[in-house]
Amino acid sequence: MSVHWVVVYRAANSLEAHCLKGLLESDNIGVKLTGENLSSAAGELPVNVVEVGLWVDASDVAQATVILQHYERQQLGEDWLCRHCNEINEAQFEVCWQCGCDPSESD
């Protein structure tokens, strides 16, 4: 069976891309990066051109999206609502401080 790669995220730089790649791979999601070599042209190309694309198999898009949304929520400092107990949690909490529910179960 062949892999059908789909871009799920555009990282600002190679460091962020590799961190996210490791995060996804820790959940057994295969990741391919594209655009890393363009970072040497930073300053000469538009910023969005030097972003590094994270690609996953189409069958892993839903799982990868949940993980990446959690990452973005932490970066933005957005609070999240636990659907299990309706407690509002600050972004730095990886699980609900009230009931221990994972935020991916609360989206």
Side-chain angles (χ1 to χ4, degrees), residues 55-67:
W55 297 70
V56 301
D57 184 72
S59 64
D60 292 325
V61 168
Q63 182 183 1
T65 299
V66 169
I67 294 167

Side-chain angles (χ1 to χ4, degrees), residues 17-27 31 54:
H18 280 277
C19 289
L20 293 173
K21 181 178 188 271
L23 182 65
L24 294 173
E25 288 176 340
S26 71
D27 277 343
V31 180
L54 278 82

